[in-house]
């Protein structure tokens, strides 16, 4: 059975079907992004009868009698949704009907295209063309309901003759050109109409194949299209909220803020997360279509019920009181403006969790805001929603939506934070994350937020950093600047010129900008020692603490200074987070094996399919031994962790049969001998192995405690040191071994 039909569609019929609502042409399905010159080129192609590309429609499944939710101008739900060709149809409809379009910045604009009949030339109308009588200044007038073609042509010719002579041939040419222009709506497009039974993935694939130059469709596009069909008011509400949030208002209530100008797509994610408790829009689309998973048929009642949930959720998501109360939680967390955010997704998903708390669990707003401030600090600092954000949030929301009551919800939210911000994170992961020159690093912003949480003053200044940060102020220079503690000019004299080294986060401190100019490229001892000498002992202690500087820091070699300061900066951030929590950090409860598998691999969890068997060859392989030993040593050298053997990298339970041991005692003995022979007898008491049944398969769980000293692996004649960092195990060599050992085991 063919999945599409081909139709020759006159432009006049397309315009009429859009007017009647048969074809959905929403303003926000994609904002109109074409420059007006593209519209001019399209009209010129149609006038010359050049090919103008296919149009791609998709049957919505809406019946002609189906009413849209709300009271928008459409009298019935569109039976066809535009998948490809929206920019072309929007521009043609706007020109022929003389209507405004909505730009990407949400401003409305009339597209005015001019036409010179003598030259058969189209142009975008501008001030010079308006003064030129050889042009029809706005061709939209030709298709007005009250337009008379003969009267219009006669009037145009008379106006032109008032400024120049026209020959009989030129008059005839003008008349013919105007007549041909008037017939433009008779141009026929080729339209491909996909069946309503086709799924979203197939539609997206068809779109990409016939329109290689276009944007790839995402799931938000499909859901916004569905909203345009069955709940156009809801789509318009998203557009209006996004538009109002993008610029300061006129003094009335507005979603505008200094953190985020959300797109309609982003606010749609909030609505979906709150109403349907889902993060993956791929699954949401099928639910909203009301498609039965067994029959594949669309159930109108199911569809209406899902849209009812969406409608109720959206009213809460777009509520200005909820929106601004949530955003004040970001300020509580120490963040002040969009320049401190490395991920807008963390804001959006945190807002979903805030709304779930106050609406589904009726948690008092003040209490929920405090909890979400802690969660946002963690999520922003760790880049929780930077990589595979839908997958991560789907896991988070799955843990939270089954909470029994308000206290259980808050407890689970804080548990997620505790399981992420372990001792290993503060002592190893965060200092490592600070070893970067990236200007928009999450760890940099977390440190800046921490300084505000702690009420810190700028370096050698009486002003608090919080007082210096005002998102309303936009001057030629920032109120505070990030000053190089070891100035670039000074480092250049030492032969250090690589910007990735000179611009390390640990080489920056917040100062007032007049101080930054004054310091210039002096050596640290030249400018810092005199300033330090003017401070009292108490003031000096506080200043050094806030700015993570050891006493006499200017005397340290640059590389040692960076290493020392990163560790101190991490401790400042930990102190600020502890203060934000109002007490000592919550200790994470031990995770069950099921929870370990659901959470996936991370800083303290790793999966291995086998202990000794290569699944590709079916043979015992020394590389498999080494892979397991690397994980164990990496955990011993960090802050401990769990190795699960019998599970693939993606969390699928495989069991232990492939390793071919006679029994579990033999396997445990084999692992113990490996550890003693290859890592050392000293570390055997720090590794605890036991077997566990999961999904009717046996697994070997290897729990590793932090080791007492560096654990090297014997690999032939070499001694190799591995450490766990983030969700990977890395090998150290050379000076890195000494630096790490000193920092970790001293």
């Amino acid at each position: 059975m063919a999945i599409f039909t081909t139709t020759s569609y006159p432009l006049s019929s397309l315009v009429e079907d859009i007017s009647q609502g048969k074809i959905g042409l929403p303003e926000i399905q994609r904002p109109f992004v074409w420059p007006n010159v593209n519209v001019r080129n399209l009209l010129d192609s149609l006038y010359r009868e050049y090919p103008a590309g296919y149009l791609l429609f998709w049957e919505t499944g809406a019946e002609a009698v189906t009413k849209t939710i709300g009271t928008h101008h459409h009298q019935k739900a569109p039976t066809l949704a535009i998948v490809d060709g929206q920019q072309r149809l929007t521009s043609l409809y706007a020109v022929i009907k003389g209507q405004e379009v909505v730009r990407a910045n949400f401003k409305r604009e009339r597209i005015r295209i001019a036409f010179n009949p003598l030259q058969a030339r189209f142009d975008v109308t501008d001030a010079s063309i308006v003064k030129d009588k050889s042009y029809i200044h706005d061709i939209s007038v030709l298709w007005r309901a009250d337009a008379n073609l003969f009267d219009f042509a006669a009037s145009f010719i008379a106006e032109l003759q008032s400024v120049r002579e026209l020959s009989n041939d030129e008059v005839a040419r003008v008349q013919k050109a105007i007549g041909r222009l008037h017939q433009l709506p008779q141009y026929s497009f080729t339209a491909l109409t996909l069946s309503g039974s086709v799924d979203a993935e197939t539609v997206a694939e068809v779109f990409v194949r016939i329109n290689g130059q276009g944007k790839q469709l995402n799931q938000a596009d499909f859901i916004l299209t569905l909203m345009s069909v069955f709940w156009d008011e809801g789509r318009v509400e998203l557009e209006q909220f996004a538009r109002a949030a993008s610029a300061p208002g006129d003094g009335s209530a507005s979603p505008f803020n200094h953190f985020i100008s959300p797109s309609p797509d982003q606010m749609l994610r909030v609505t979906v997360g709150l109403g349907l408790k889902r993060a993956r829009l791929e699954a949401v689309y099928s639910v909203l279509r009301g498609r039965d998973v067994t029959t594949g048929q669309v159930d109108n009642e199911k569809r209406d019920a899902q849209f009812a949930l969406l409608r109720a959720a959206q009213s809460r998501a777009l509520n200005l009181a909820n929106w601004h109360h949530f955003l004040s939680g970001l300020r509580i967390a120490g963040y002040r403006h969009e320049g401190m955010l490395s991920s807008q997704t963390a804001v959006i998903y945190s807002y979903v969790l805030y709304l779930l708390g106050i609406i589904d669990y009726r948690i008092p707003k003040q209490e929920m805001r405090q909890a979400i401030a802690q969660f946002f600090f963690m999520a922003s600092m760790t880049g929780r929603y930077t990589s595979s954000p839908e997958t991560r949030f789907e896991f988070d929301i799955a843990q939270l939506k089954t909470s029994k009551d308000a206290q259980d919800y808050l407890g689970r939210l804080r548990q997620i934070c505790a399981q992420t911000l372990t001792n290993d994170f503060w002592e190893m992961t965060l200092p490592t994350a600070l070893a970067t020159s990236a200007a928009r690093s999450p760890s940099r912003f977390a440190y800046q937020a921490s300084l505000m949480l702690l009420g810190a003053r700028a370096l050698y200044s009486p002003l608090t950093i919080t007082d210096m940060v005002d998102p309303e102020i936009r001057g030629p220079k920032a109120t505070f600047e990030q000053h190089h503690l070891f100035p670039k000019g000074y480092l250049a004299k030492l032969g250090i010129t690589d910007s990735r080294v000179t611009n390390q986060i640990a080489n920056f401190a917040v100062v007032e900008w007049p101080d930054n100019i004054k310091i210039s490229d002096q050596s640290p001892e030249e400018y810092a020692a005199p300033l330090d000498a003017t401070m009292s002992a108490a003031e000096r202690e506080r200043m050094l603490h806030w700015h993570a500087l050891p006493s006499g820091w200017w005397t340290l070699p640059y590389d040692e200074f960076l290493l020392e300061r990163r560790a101190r900066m991490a401790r400042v951030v930990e102190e600020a987070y502890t203060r934000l929590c109002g007490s000592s950090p919550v200790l994470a409860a031990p995770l069950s094996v099921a929870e370990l598998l659901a959470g996936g691999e991370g800083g303290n969890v790793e999966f291995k399919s086998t202990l000794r068997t290569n699944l590709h060859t079916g043979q015992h392989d020394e590389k498999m031994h080494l892979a397991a030993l690397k994980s164990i040593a990496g955990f011993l050298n960090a802050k401990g962790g769990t190795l699960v053997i019998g599970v693939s990298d993606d969390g699928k339970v495989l069991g232990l049969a492939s390793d071919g041991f006679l029994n579990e005692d033999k396997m445990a003995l084999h692992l113990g001998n490996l550890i003693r022979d290859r890592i050392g007898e000293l570390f055997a008491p720090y590794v605890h192995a036991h077997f566990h049944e999961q999904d009717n398969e046996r697994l070997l769980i290897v729990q590793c405690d932090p080791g007492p000293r560096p654990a090297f692996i014997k690999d032939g004649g070499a001694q190799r040191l591995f450490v766990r960092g983030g969700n990977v195990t890395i090998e150290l060599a050379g000076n890195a071994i000494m630096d790490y050992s000193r920092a970790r085991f001293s």
Side-chain angles (χ1 to χ4, degrees):
M1 178 179 177
I3 67 171
F4 71 92
T5 58
T6 304
T7 309
S8 182
Y9 225 136
L11 177 56
S12 57
S13 298
L14 289 167
V15 171
E16 182 63 22
D17 285 348
I18 291 169
S19 296
Q20 296 298 320
K22 179 181 177 182
I23 296 175
L25 186 64
E27 296 166 339
I28 198 66
Q29 186 177 341
R30 282 300 93 197
F32 190 71
V33 298
W34 265 18
N36 288 346
V37 68
N38 284 23
V39 183
R40 176 257 171 227
N41 293 341
L42 175 62
L43 288 164
D44 186 66
S45 294
L46 268 56
Y47 181 84
R48 301 180 189 283
E49 298 182 349
Y50 293 169
Y54 289 94
L55 299 175
L56 182 61
F57 296 125
W58 189 16
E59 292 178 345
T60 63
E63 300 173 3
V65 298
T66 303
K67 302 293 184 183
T68 54
I69 300 173
T71 58
H72 202 54
H73 63 277
H74 287 160
Q75 294 303 304
K76 58 187 178 183
T79 56
L80 294 176
I82 300 169
V83 177
D84 184 29
Q86 194 226 340
Q87 299 294 307
R88 282 171 287 162
L89 284 185
T90 299
S91 59
L92 293 172
Y93 184 83
V95 170
I96 291 174
K97 288 292 189 179
Q99 292 194 2
E100 295 176 323
V101 296
V102 177
R103 292 291 185 183
N105 61 1
F106 303 109
K107 292 183 178 179
R108 293 184 175 274
E109 177 189 328
R110 269 266 285 119
I111 302 173
R112 288 178 169 82
I113 302 298
F115 180 69
N116 185 321
L118 277 172
Q119 299 177 3
R121 173 188 173 90
F122 291 88
D123 279 292
V124 178
T125 302
D126 58 22
S128 64
I129 285 177
V130 170
K131 297 176 183 178
D132 190 341
K133 292 186 182 297
S134 63
Y135 276 92
I136 300 171
H137 305 150
D138 185 354
I139 63 175
S140 298
V141 298
L142 284 170
W143 300 292
R144 289 178 181 169
D146 59 352
N148 183 298
L149 181 62
F150 297 105
D151 290 347
F152 178 86
S155 176
F156 177 82
I157 291 170
E159 285 284 327
L160 184 54
Q161 286 176 328
S162 70
V163 295
R164 57 162 292 185
E165 291 185 2
L166 291 176
S167 67
N168 291 336
D169 286 344
E170 286 176 326
V171 170
R173 200 190 322 161
V174 168
Q175 291 172 332
K176 183 179 180 180
I178 292 177
R180 183 172 178 176
L181 176 61
H182 185 259
Q183 292 299 311
L184 211 63
Q186 301 310 310
Y187 181 95
S188 286
F189 281 90
T190 299
L192 307 178
T193 303
L194 295 168
S195 167
S197 63
V198 175
D199 59 33
E201 291 73 20
T202 303
V203 174
E205 181 65 20
V206 171
F207 175 86
V208 170
R209 293 193 181 197
I210 71 170
N211 183 14
Q213 299 300 315
K215 70 178 285 294
Q216 290 199 0
L217 299 179
N218 57 45
Q219 294 300 327
D221 294 326
F222 289 114
I223 294 175
L224 287 169
T225 299
L226 271 186
M227 291 179 70
S228 302
V229 173
F230 298 109
W231 181 31
D232 200 39
E233 266 191 358
R235 176 196 56 77
V236 171
E237 288 172 359
L238 291 175
E239 172 198 358
Q240 291 173 340
F241 187 93
R243 179 171 60 245
S246 65
D250 56 5
S252 57
S254 161
F256 176 75
N257 63 92
H258 293 289
F259 288 107
I260 183 174
S261 299
S263 67
D265 290 18
Q266 288 174 317
M267 296 311 297
L268 172 66
R269 289 186 179 276
V270 178
T271 297
V272 166
L274 176 61
L276 304 181
K277 310 298 185 289
R278 301 298 295 267
R280 290 193 180 97
L281 296 186
E282 178 181 0
V284 171
Y285 176 80
S286 297
V287 170
L288 287 180
R289 288 201 80 190
R291 186 182 298 279
D292 189 284
V293 294
T294 55
T295 66
Q297 298 299 310
V298 172
D299 186 323
N300 290 342
E301 290 186 2
K302 284 185 178 180
R303 180 185 62 213
D304 293 344
Q306 295 302 317
F307 269 103
L309 290 175
L310 213 61
R311 190 179 190 183
Q314 185 158 296
S315 68
R316 268 70 177 267
L318 304 187
N319 180 284
L320 293 182
N322 292 341
W323 175 244
H324 286 295
H325 192 261
F326 158 75
L327 290 175
S328 66
L330 274 57
R331 289 189 288 274
I332 289 174
Y335 292 80
R336 288 296 182 271
H337 52 74
E338 62 182 343
M340 296 178 68
L341 302 179
S342 60
S343 168
Q344 292 188 346
T345 308
V347 178
I348 294 300
Y349 284 155
S350 295
Y351 186 37
V352 175
L353 300 182
Y354 167 85
L355 291 172
L356 281 173
I358 66 171
I359 294 167
D360 288 17
Y361 294 97
R362 300 183 181 278
I363 299 171
K365 280 191 170 184
Q366 301 294 95
E367 187 176 2
M368 190 64 233
R369 180 176 62 180
Q370 184 64 34
I372 213 64
Q374 298 167 25
F375 182 89
F376 176 79
F377 190 100
M378 176 278 296
S380 182
M381 172 173 58
T382 60
R384 188 174 186 83
Y385 301 120
T386 301
S387 177
S388 302
E390 282 192 351
T391 301
R392 171 62 75 176
F393 190 60
E394 190 83 20
F395 175 70
D396 288 345
I397 207 169
Q399 292 186 79
L400 293 164
K401 69 182 182 182
T402 57
S403 301
K404 297 187 292 293
D405 52 34
Q407 290 309 307
D408 188 30
Y409 182 84
L410 290 171
R412 294 189 188 195
L413 197 65
R414 291 185 172 117
Q415 189 78 352
I416 292 173
C417 295
Q419 291 167 358
T420 304
L421 304 182
T422 60
N423 287 336
D424 182 38
F425 174 83
W426 296 118
E427 295 182 20
M428 305 303 303
T429 305
L430 184 54
T432 301
L434 287 164
T436 180
S437 60
R440 299 195 57 77
S441 165
S443 56
R444 178 197 290 266
F445 296 146
Y447 176 66
Q448 292 175 350
S450 298
L451 292 177
M452 297 192 205
L453 278 169
L454 297 174
R457 300 202 303 267
L459 184 63
Y460 303 125
S461 169
L463 287 179
T464 65
I465 297 172
T466 301
D467 291 338
M468 295 164 62
V469 177
D470 186 349
E472 298 280 359
I473 297 175
R474 294 288 188 271
K477 269 195 170 288
T479 308
F480 75 89
E481 290 197 347
Q482 294 286 305
H483 159 70
H484 287 84
L485 291 167
F486 281 67
K488 294 173 72 173
Y490 169 73
L491 290 174
K493 297 173 185 176
L494 302 180
I496 302 173
T497 58
D498 188 338
S499 61
R500 292 172 298 181
V501 179
T502 61
N503 291 338
Q504 284 285 303
I505 290 175
N507 192 30
F508 283 103
V510 177
V511 300
E512 293 183 74
W513 71 261
D515 290 338
N516 199 15
I517 294 174
K518 193 184 331 180
I519 292 168
S520 186
D521 61 354
Q522 299 177 65
S523 72
E525 188 167 5
E526 284 180 291
Y527 78 81
L531 290 170
D532 186 81
T534 64
M535 308 186 78
S536 68
E539 288 176 329
R540 183 183 301 111
E541 183 178 0
R542 285 196 302 271
M543 192 67 66
L544 293 177
H545 173 70
W546 287 326
H547 293 279
L549 296 168
S551 180
W553 58 269
W554 53 83
T555 65
L556 293 175
Y558 183 57
D559 56 346
E560 290 185 20
F561 164 77
L562 293 177
L563 192 65
E564 176 66 22
R565 189 164 188 246
R566 288 174 194 136
R568 289 172 176 263
M569 291 171 75
R571 290 197 288 271
V572 170
V573 178
E574 182 180 14
E575 178 188 348
Y577 178 74
T578 301
R579 180 174 296 187
L580 178 62
C581 294
S583 62
S584 300
V586 180
L587 295 177
L591 294 177
S592 67
V593 173
E595 289 172 325
L596 286 175
L597 298 180
E601 293 183 316
N604 56 1
V605 178
E606 188 164 13
F607 304 147
K608 293 295 179 189
S609 300
T610 65
L611 177 60
R612 67 179 182 181
T613 301
N614 187 321
L615 294 181
H616 296 291
T617 64
Q619 303 298 314
H620 296 171
D621 191 337
E622 183 56 28
K623 293 179 181 177
M624 302 300 105
H625 279 156
L626 181 60
L629 289 171
K630 283 166 56 177
S631 299
I632 293 170
F635 288 137
L636 288 168
N637 288 327
K639 289 299 178 181
T642 304
L643 171 64
V644 184
I645 298 176
V647 176
S648 64
D649 290 344
D650 60 3
K652 182 180 179 181
V653 175
L654 304 176
L656 303 175
S658 297
D659 270 322
F661 288 98
L662 292 177
N663 53 52
E664 291 179 354
D665 287 343
K666 295 287 186 183
M667 187 174 189
L669 180 62
H670 183 81
L671 175 64
N673 289 337
L674 276 176
I675 294 170
R676 289 179 173 84
D677 294 340
R678 302 282 297 277
I679 299 179
E681 184 77 25
L682 173 68
F683 298 96
Y686 296 87
V687 181
H688 317 281
H690 69 277
F691 293 88
H692 177 85
E693 184 163 325
Q694 184 73 30
D695 299 341
N696 298 318
E697 294 285 354
R698 298 293 285 176
L699 304 177
L700 177 56
I701 314 299
V702 185
Q703 180 66 47
C704 305
D705 297 332
R709 70 183 192 191
F712 288 82
I713 296 176
K714 296 177 184 176
D715 186 15
Q719 294 279 342
R720 304 172 68 184
L721 184 75
F722 295 88
V723 298
R724 188 72 174 172
N727 61 349
V728 296
T729 302
I730 59 176
E731 183 175 9
L732 300 184
N735 291 336
I737 294 177
M738 296 178 59
D739 292 341
Y740 182 89
S741 300
R742 183 167 60 243
R744 163 70 175 85
F745 298 98
S746 294

